[in-house]
Amino acid sequence: MQEINASIDFDRRLWRQDIRGSLAHAAMLARCGIIEPADEADIRQGLEAIAAEIESGRFPFSAALEDIHMNIEARLTERIGDAGRRLHTARSRNDQVAVDFRLWVRDAIDGLDAQLADLMRALAGRAAEHAADPMPGFTHLQTAQPVTFGHHLLAYVAMVSRDRGRLEDARRRLNESPLGAAALAGTSFPIDPAMTAAALGFDRPMGNSLDAVSDRDFAIEFLAAGAISAMHLSRFAEEMVIWCSAPFRFVALSDAFTTGSSIMPQKRNPDAAELVRAKSGRMLGSLVALLTVMKGLPLAYGKDMQEDKPPVFEAADAWALSLAATAGMVRDMQPDTARMRAAAGAGFATATDLADWLVRTLRLPFRSAHHVTGRLVARAEARGVDLAGLTLAEMQAEEPGITAAVFSVLDVAASVASRRSAGGTAPDNVAAAAARWLEVLG
Ligand code: ARG
């Protein structure tokens, strides 16, 4: 029973939040005349001493005492006697763990938000550096149209910004205090839940005691935001792996983020990127794990809910590590701009520019222009040259109206510079967008 029942091995991570919650609760009990001021003073000193014990690694954690709440309370009573036994008045472990866990998730959100902002700063900084450097833009991982490397990086800035928005939303809904719900029905003591809520930085007490002790939607929202962020980080990691591969070599990572092979001396493996990609599996799994724990539970508390913590801790750890590694790689990577530029011009990447020129200059309907361009691509392919490698005569054989002016739009730099529509890849757009992000991020 002890082995399946005890949670101290993982919920000891709540110790700071548990002590904060108990300090606020004891202060409220004294203020409301439910315990004596002298008892509250003893409780405060006792809890502060216990915090120091845990901090320094001297606290005697015991599985027989089940969880962090009972471990701390038992130690408190050992130190201060009866006053320790009064701390749990008008409280249950059900509202206690709910408040601890909300505080923990809120602290995690604040830390992760700062890391997400840091990643955005790293990406936007590199985007500003490479606002005008072309690379092939892909769809289906096939060369589509030239874009700039800065533009590509800013796409991730936008994604990470929405990831922050999701955390912010989750934080706002999370920020209510369950204290006062007690076991499930509320309490008969004349408590002041608004006082504990304010002391712990919550916006208000929760409105329904059953809900307060029985929902973990706040943790699920955190994990959902984490799963989406992990999906973004994993996509970026995958691109990093592709860019670092020998046939691409768009970017190089230093030894700080790669490992060598024990047998193939030429290799520099992008392990950090691969692990970010893999850790997304844990984060997606954590969301499914907690949803599955919760979905069949009748109100109110059930011991099943003790299993809410490991997935949240695991996801939060993987998230923090993935963000640190990703920001580190973004700052570390050395783009090979010459290679990217060359690749941007290969694969008929400016075929759309040619079609657009036919529409603009010769007033061809777009579908006809698309058709003419397709035939020109086929000709170029047959001769083993790029579109710019065709002669004017060859072009005119497909469409007599074509003039030498067409060659100006087949150039990669001209192509990206022409994409001036809002949110497009023109270097001026990209430089301005990067500057805007960097200003917002401070
Ligand atoms: N360790 C428990 C948990 O994390 C604390 C709440 C226990 N409540 C109870 N009624 N047994 O859920």
Side-chain angles (χ1 to χ4, degrees):
M1 178 57 183
Q2 182 173 300
E3 219 170 302
I4 194 168
N5 199 40
S7 53
I8 189 63
D9 280 348
F10 54 84
D11 70 13
R12 66 173 70 185
R13 284 184 72 167
L14 298 176
W15 71 267
R16 282 176 219 278
Q17 290 75 19
D18 195 67
I19 288 175
R20 267 172 84 193
S22 288
L23 287 169
H25 180 66
M28 180 278 291
L29 291 178
R31 172 84 75 84
C32 296
I34 301 168
I35 62 171
E36 296 301 318
D39 286 338
E40 194 254 331
D42 286 352
I43 289 171
R44 191 162 0 100
Q45 278 162 21
L47 288 173
E48 278 160 10
I50 288 170
E53 274 186 338
I54 299 177
E55 192 92 69
S56 66
R58 283 178 292 116
F59 186 88
F61 286 108
S62 149
L65 290 167
E66 210 180 309
D67 59 21
I68 187 64
H69 324 293
M70 309 271 266
N71 267 267
I72 290 178
E73 192 186 319
R75 184 78 179 137
L76 182 66
T77 300
E78 217 170 271
R79 296 185 73 108
I80 67 169
D82 267 355
R85 289 192 184 87
R86 293 190 210 282
L87 170 62
H88 213 50
T89 315
R91 187 176 74 170
S92 150
R93 269 191 296 159
N94 295 349
D95 59 343
Q96 184 178 0
V97 71
V99 83
D100 292 4
F101 201 29
R102 275 175 195 263
L103 289 173
W104 194 94
V105 173
R106 196 179 70 185
D107 289 345
I109 287 175
D110 293 343
L112 288 162
D113 181 67
Q115 283 194 277
L116 288 160
D118 180 60
L119 174 57
M120 289 174 70
R121 237 174 260 120
L123 287 163
R126 300 310 301 266
E129 235 176 278
H130 298 287
D133 289 324
M135 69 179 282
F138 300 97
T139 60
H140 314 267
L141 200 56
Q142 304 288 317
T143 300
Q145 295 173 358
V147 297
T148 74
F149 188 49
H151 194 54
H152 196 112
L153 296 177
L154 287 186
Y156 284 97
V157 174
M159 295 176 228
V160 178
S161 160
R162 291 192 297 274
D163 292 336
R164 290 182 76 193
R166 272 177 281 273
L167 270 186
E168 201 183 302
D169 290 344
R171 192 190 197 284
R172 194 173 321 116
R173 272 185 294 277
L174 164 154
N175 207 32
E176 294 186 335
S177 174
L179 269 184
L184 76 166
T187 175
S188 55
F189 290 96
I191 58 167
D192 182 355
M195 182 181 164
T196 39
L200 295 169
F202 290 114
D203 295 330
R204 63 192 78 83
M206 292 184 74
N208 182 297
S209 61
L210 290 167
D211 175 45
V213 295
S214 71
D215 207 353
R216 294 294 182 265
D217 59 350
F218 66 91
I220 291 170
E221 279 197 60
F222 172 76
L223 292 175
I228 294 173
S229 169
M231 174 274 293
H232 287 150
L233 294 174
S234 182
R235 291 185 77 174
F236 184 74
E238 167 68 5
E239 301 219 81
M240 194 66 98
V241 170
I242 292 172
W243 294 341
C244 287
S245 70
F248 268 78
R249 269 199 290 112
F250 283 3
V251 312
L253 287 168
S254 80
D255 290 348
F257 291 92
T258 56
T259 64
S261 156
S262 52
I263 173 166
M264 294 164 284
Q266 83 282 13
K267 287 188 71 184
R268 202 179 245 183
N269 301 322
D271 296 37
E274 294 170 272
L275 288 164
V276 168
R277 191 172 57 183
K279 279 187 188 295
S280 66
R282 287 179 192 245
M283 295 174 64
L284 272 57
S286 297
L287 171 62
V288 175
L290 186 51
L291 280 169
T292 309
V293 165
M294 295 304 297
K295 71 169 184 58
L297 295 187
L299 300 188
Y301 177 86
K303 196 62 173 268
D304 314 52
M305 288 160 66
Q306 178 164 283
E307 291 288 315
D308 57 359
K309 287 161 220 73
V312 167
F313 293 155
E314 179 165 31
D317 291 345
W319 199 352
L321 210 44
S322 298
L323 286 169
T326 305
M329 285 188 282
V330 168
R331 293 192 167 101
D332 179 81
M333 68 182 176
Q334 276 315 322
D336 186 335
T337 51
R339 248 186 107 79
M340 284 199 266
R341 183 186 313 270
F348 310 107
T350 52
T352 317
D353 298 271
L354 172 54
D356 288 351
W357 185 89
L358 295 170
V359 170
R360 248 193 334 267
T361 315
L362 306 183
R363 299 279 161 212
L364 291 192
F366 180 76
R367 282 293 163 219
S368 315
H370 185 276
H371 189 65
V372 169
T373 307
R375 286 203 309 264
L376 288 171
V377 166
R379 258 179 195 264
E381 222 166 6
R383 273 198 39 212
V385 295
D386 271 335
L387 283 171
L390 293 173
T391 64
L392 182 56
E394 284 173 300
M395 297 226 188
Q396 287 170 338
E398 295 296 349
E399 168 49 57
I402 294 181
T403 65
V406 77
F407 287 100
S408 68
V409 301
L410 300 180
D411 171 64
V412 162
S415 170
V416 292
S418 72
R419 298 295 196 284
R420 314 190 63 87
S421 59
T425 200
D428 291 350
N429 276 6
V430 175
R436 266 198 310 278
W437 279 117
L438 288 169
E439 192 182 316
V440 173
L441 290 161

